[in-house]
Short mmCIF file of all heavy atoms in Angstrom, two decimals:
data_model
loop_
_atom_site.label_atom_id
_atom_site.label_comp_id
_atom_site.label_asym_id
_atom_site.label_seq_id
_atom_site.Cartn_x
_atom_site.Cartn_y
_atom_site.Cartn_z
N THR A 222 -19.22 13.66 -25.82
CA THR A 222 -20.54 13.10 -26.08
C THR A 222 -21.61 14.15 -25.83
O THR A 222 -21.45 15.04 -24.99
CB THR A 222 -20.81 11.89 -25.15
OG1 THR A 222 -20.64 12.30 -23.79
CG2 THR A 222 -19.84 10.76 -25.45
N THR A 223 -22.70 14.04 -26.56
CA THR A 223 -23.81 14.98 -26.39
C THR A 223 -24.64 14.57 -25.18
O THR A 223 -24.49 13.47 -24.63
CB THR A 223 -24.69 14.98 -27.64
OG1 THR A 223 -25.33 13.69 -27.76
CG2 THR A 223 -23.87 15.25 -28.90
N ASP A 225 -27.77 13.85 -25.16
CA ASP A 225 -28.60 12.69 -25.51
C ASP A 225 -27.78 11.41 -25.44
O ASP A 225 -28.28 10.36 -24.97
CB ASP A 225 -29.18 12.86 -26.91
CG ASP A 225 -30.30 13.90 -26.95
OD1 ASP A 225 -30.82 14.25 -25.87
OD2 ASP A 225 -30.64 14.35 -28.06
N GLU A 226 -26.55 11.45 -25.91
CA GLU A 226 -25.69 10.26 -25.86
C GLU A 226 -25.38 9.88 -24.42
O GLU A 226 -25.39 8.70 -24.06
CB GLU A 226 -24.39 10.52 -26.63
CG GLU A 226 -24.59 10.59 -28.15
CD GLU A 226 -23.35 11.05 -28.88
OE1 GLU A 226 -22.54 11.80 -28.28
OE2 GLU A 226 -23.18 10.68 -30.06
N GLN A 227 -25.12 10.88 -23.58
CA GLN A 227 -24.86 10.60 -22.18
C GLN A 227 -26.08 9.97 -21.50
O GLN A 227 -25.94 9.04 -20.70
CB GLN A 227 -24.45 11.88 -21.46
CG GLN A 227 -23.06 12.38 -21.84
CD GLN A 227 -22.65 13.60 -21.05
OE1 GLN A 227 -23.49 14.31 -20.48
NE2 GLN A 227 -21.37 13.88 -21.00
N HIS A 228 -27.26 10.50 -21.83
CA HIS A 228 -28.49 9.93 -21.27
C HIS A 228 -28.64 8.47 -21.68
O HIS A 228 -29.01 7.61 -20.86
CB HIS A 228 -29.70 10.74 -21.72
CG HIS A 228 -31.00 10.18 -21.24
ND1 HIS A 228 -31.45 10.33 -19.94
CD2 HIS A 228 -31.97 9.45 -21.88
CE1 HIS A 228 -32.61 9.72 -19.80
NE2 HIS A 228 -32.95 9.19 -20.94
N ALA A 229 -28.36 8.17 -22.94
CA ALA A 229 -28.48 6.80 -23.44
C ALA A 229 -27.47 5.88 -22.74
O ALA A 229 -27.79 4.72 -22.40
CB ALA A 229 -28.27 6.76 -24.95
N ILE A 230 -26.26 6.39 -22.50
CA ILE A 230 -25.25 5.58 -21.81
C ILE A 230 -25.69 5.29 -20.38
O ILE A 230 -25.55 4.16 -19.89
CB ILE A 230 -23.88 6.30 -21.83
CG1 ILE A 230 -23.35 6.39 -23.26
CG2 ILE A 230 -22.87 5.57 -20.94
CD1 ILE A 230 -22.13 7.28 -23.41
N LEU A 231 -26.25 6.29 -19.71
CA LEU A 231 -26.73 6.08 -18.34
C LEU A 231 -27.80 5.00 -18.29
O LEU A 231 -27.83 4.19 -17.36
CB LEU A 231 -27.26 7.38 -17.75
CG LEU A 231 -26.24 8.49 -17.45
CD1 LEU A 231 -26.93 9.67 -16.78
CD2 LEU A 231 -25.11 7.98 -16.58
N GLU A 232 -28.69 5.01 -19.28
CA GLU A 232 -29.73 3.98 -19.32
C GLU A 232 -29.13 2.59 -19.49
O GLU A 232 -29.59 1.62 -18.89
CB GLU A 232 -30.72 4.28 -20.45
CG GLU A 232 -31.63 5.47 -20.17
CD GLU A 232 -32.42 5.27 -18.89
OE1 GLU A 232 -33.07 4.22 -18.74
OE2 GLU A 232 -32.37 6.17 -18.02
N GLN A 233 -28.09 2.50 -20.31
CA GLN A 233 -27.42 1.20 -20.49
C GLN A 233 -26.71 0.76 -19.21
O GLN A 233 -26.70 -0.43 -18.88
CB GLN A 233 -26.42 1.29 -21.66
CG GLN A 233 -27.06 1.43 -23.02
CD GLN A 233 -28.00 0.27 -23.33
OE1 GLN A 233 -27.64 -0.89 -23.18
NE2 GLN A 233 -29.21 0.59 -23.76
N VAL A 234 -26.14 1.71 -18.50
CA VAL A 234 -25.49 1.37 -17.23
C VAL A 234 -26.53 0.87 -16.23
O VAL A 234 -26.31 -0.13 -15.54
CB VAL A 234 -24.73 2.59 -16.66
CG1 VAL A 234 -24.23 2.28 -15.24
CG2 VAL A 234 -23.56 2.96 -17.55
N ARG A 235 -27.67 1.54 -16.16
CA ARG A 235 -28.74 1.10 -15.24
C ARG A 235 -29.18 -0.32 -15.57
O ARG A 235 -29.37 -1.15 -14.68
CB ARG A 235 -29.92 2.06 -15.31
CG ARG A 235 -29.66 3.43 -14.69
CD ARG A 235 -30.92 4.27 -14.60
NE ARG A 235 -30.60 5.58 -14.05
CZ ARG A 235 -30.37 6.67 -14.78
NH1 ARG A 235 -30.44 6.59 -16.11
NH2 ARG A 235 -30.09 7.81 -14.20
N LEU A 253 -26.40 7.80 -10.64
CA LEU A 253 -25.48 7.94 -11.76
C LEU A 253 -25.51 9.36 -12.29
O LEU A 253 -26.58 9.98 -12.37
CB LEU A 253 -25.86 6.97 -12.90
CG LEU A 253 -25.97 5.48 -12.53
CD1 LEU A 253 -26.50 4.69 -13.72
CD2 LEU A 253 -24.63 4.93 -12.07
N TRP A 255 -22.82 12.48 -14.66
CA TRP A 255 -21.60 12.75 -15.41
C TRP A 255 -20.83 13.88 -14.76
O TRP A 255 -21.43 14.84 -14.27
CB TRP A 255 -21.91 13.12 -16.87
CG TRP A 255 -22.46 11.99 -17.67
CD1 TRP A 255 -23.77 11.76 -17.97
CD2 TRP A 255 -21.72 10.93 -18.27
NE1 TRP A 255 -23.90 10.61 -18.70
CE2 TRP A 255 -22.66 10.08 -18.91
CE3 TRP A 255 -20.37 10.60 -18.31
CZ2 TRP A 255 -22.29 8.93 -19.60
CZ3 TRP A 255 -19.98 9.46 -19.00
CH2 TRP A 255 -20.92 8.64 -19.64
N LEU A 260 -18.15 8.93 -15.63
CA LEU A 260 -19.35 8.46 -14.97
C LEU A 260 -19.15 8.48 -13.46
O LEU A 260 -18.18 7.92 -12.96
CB LEU A 260 -19.69 7.04 -15.43
CG LEU A 260 -20.85 6.34 -14.73
CD1 LEU A 260 -22.17 7.02 -15.08
CD2 LEU A 260 -20.89 4.86 -15.11
N ALA A 279 -20.56 -1.39 -15.03
CA ALA A 279 -20.61 -0.06 -15.64
C ALA A 279 -19.46 0.13 -16.63
O ALA A 279 -19.63 0.70 -17.70
CB ALA A 279 -20.56 1.01 -14.55
N VAL A 282 -19.91 -0.98 -20.30
CA VAL A 282 -20.87 -0.30 -21.18
C VAL A 282 -20.11 0.59 -22.15
O VAL A 282 -19.29 1.42 -21.73
CB VAL A 282 -21.87 0.52 -20.35
CG1 VAL A 282 -22.76 1.36 -21.27
CG2 VAL A 282 -22.71 -0.38 -19.48
N PRO A 283 -20.34 0.44 -23.46
CA PRO A 283 -19.68 1.31 -24.43
C PRO A 283 -19.97 2.77 -24.14
O PRO A 283 -21.10 3.15 -23.84
CB PRO A 283 -20.30 0.88 -25.77
CG PRO A 283 -20.76 -0.52 -25.54
CD PRO A 283 -21.21 -0.57 -24.11
N GLY A 284 -18.93 3.58 -24.21
CA GLY A 284 -19.09 5.00 -23.95
C GLY A 284 -18.65 5.43 -22.57
O GLY A 284 -18.46 6.62 -22.30
N VAL A 285 -18.45 4.46 -21.66
CA VAL A 285 -17.95 4.78 -20.32
C VAL A 285 -16.43 4.73 -20.36
O VAL A 285 -15.83 3.66 -20.42
CB VAL A 285 -18.49 3.79 -19.27
CG1 VAL A 285 -17.86 4.07 -17.91
CG2 VAL A 285 -20.01 3.88 -19.19
#
Side-chain angles (χ1 to χ4, degrees):
T222 56
T223 67
D225 287 344
E226 289 171 332
Q227 289 183 341
H228 177 76
I230 294 170
L231 291 184
E232 288 302 308
Q233 290 302 311
V234 172
R235 289 189 182 95
L253 305 174
W255 292 100
L260 174 67
V282 173
V285 175

